[in-house]
Amino acid sequence: QAVQQGPRGAFIVFEGADRAGKSTQCQMLVEHLQASGVNAELWRFPDRTTAIGKMINSYLTSQSEIDDAAVHLLFSANRWEKREELLRKLASGTTLVVDRYAYSGVAFTAAKGLPGLDRAWCTVPDAGLPAPDVVFFLSLTVEQAAARGGYGEERYEKADFQRKVLDQFQALRDSSWRMIDASQSIEDIQQQLREQAAAVVARCQRGAAPLGRLWE
Ligand code: ADP
Ligand code: 2DT
Ligand code: MG
């Protein structure tokens, strides 16, 4: 069944490789929406502030080791624990701009190439979560990303692994995705995002878009 009918906020997700500009563009888009009178909030996954999020943060910063399947389930649980609040915000008319979601969850674990943890297995825990109205995929090659000053210190921030993550993302594309050439200037990308986001926000405000569920 559809999770919700009628006028509501838009559920906008950003995905893409590390250093593609997701956090930069999310921040700018939220500020623009707010300045235009749209009720909007910036969210991110993992949400490192919850108890589960703190375990994930400790894993990403290599302060702890967690079994690959178990940490995959923690990332998913970190979305499920925010589901009610997410639905409540959308229902009350707040647009959510979200820096990474379940697509990152699947892509990063599947990229490990571990027996048993293939893409099909990886999607199961997130199936049924609210589906975004639009996914802005910031597309950038690993070489272009590396030219932005190299990767950081966290787990996963290695060129070889990022290539595998990009391959996994390609396989997850669906009709909600909008591919954005992330090698353009910050301002040019933001301009395109504003135009596309405005259309989605308007459609949700009109009540013309029942919220779907992921991978069902
Ligand atoms: P992400 O959240 O996708 O990892 P960030 O927004 O943190 O990416 O950006 C990574 C780095 O690249 C930052 O130093 C940022 O200032 C820079 N950057 C972001 N967008 C662009 C762009 N379009 N062109 C050049 N550099 C960019
Ligand atoms: P940032 O906080 O810099 O975006 O990095 N990840 C993320 C997963 O492995 N699974 C997930 O479900 C999500 C949402 C991607 C977060 C890192 O965590 C990875 C990079
Ligand atoms: Mg970021």
Side-chain angles (χ1 to χ4, degrees):
Q1 92 272 19
V3 176
Q4 198 215 327
Q5 307 271 356
R8 59 174 176 85
F11 180 13
I12 299 173
V13 163
F14 279 75
E15 288 284 9
D18 285 14
R19 305 190 73 79
K22 297 178 301 300
S23 298
T24 303
Q25 297 294 339
C26 279
Q27 181 76 42
M28 290 173 74
L29 181 61
V30 166
E31 284 170 10
H32 164 76
L33 289 170
Q34 290 168 345
S36 326
V38 174
N39 205 339
E41 276 185 21
L42 177 58
W43 282 30
R44 63 182 58 79
F45 288 107
D47 177 339
R48 304 189 193 210
T49 66
T50 69
I52 292 168
K54 287 183 176 119
M55 295 173 69
I56 292 171
N57 181 62
S58 140
Y59 174 77
L60 286 173
T61 54
S62 299
Q63 297 170 80
S64 70
E65 294 301 320
I66 304 177
D67 172 81
D68 293 288
V71 81
H72 181 77
L73 298 174
L74 288 179
F75 275 109
S76 178
N78 186 232
R79 285 181 281 279
W80 281 103
E81 69 177 335
K82 300 293 289 184
R83 174 181 176 272
E84 259 192 29
E85 186 184 352
L86 184 146
L87 292 175
R88 205 171 347 103
K89 293 273 182 186
L90 294 176
S92 73
T94 301
T95 284
L96 299 178
V97 176
V98 184
D99 191 345
R100 294 192 193 274
Y101 195 53
Y103 306 94
S104 278
V106 175
F108 276 77
T109 302
K112 293 178 178 179
L114 296 169
L117 307 192
D118 60 4
R119 208 160 48 240
W121 183 89
C122 289
T123 58
V124 173
D126 287 298
L129 279 171
D133 296 299
V134 68
V135 176
F136 292 128
F137 187 85
L138 300 189
S139 184
L140 196 71
T141 66
V142 167
E143 289 70 27
Q144 289 167 324
R148 294 188 174 171
Y151 291 109
E153 295 301 309
E154 288 201 340
R155 198 184 289 264
Y156 302 146
E157 297 187 318
K158 307 275 183 302
D160 285 352
F161 188 68
Q162 292 288 323
R163 268 185 207 98
K164 294 177 183 160
V165 171
L166 283 179
D167 289 343
Q168 292 296 330
F169 270 131
Q170 286 302 331
L172 291 169
R173 275 172 77 161
D174 61 40
S175 59
S176 69
W177 285 41
R178 304 287 174 269
M179 304 303 285
I180 310 281
D181 175 3
S183 70
Q184 304 170 87
S185 74
I186 290 178
E187 292 71 25
D188 285 353
I189 295 167
Q190 181 62 204
Q191 185 54 37
Q192 293 156 36
L193 292 170
R194 287 178 183 182
E195 286 166 17
Q196 300 199 37
V200 177
V201 169
R203 180 155 47 86
C204 293
Q205 175 55 38
R206 281 200 308 276
L211 197 60
R213 297 204 292 185
L214 218 45
W215 298 321
E216 286 191 337

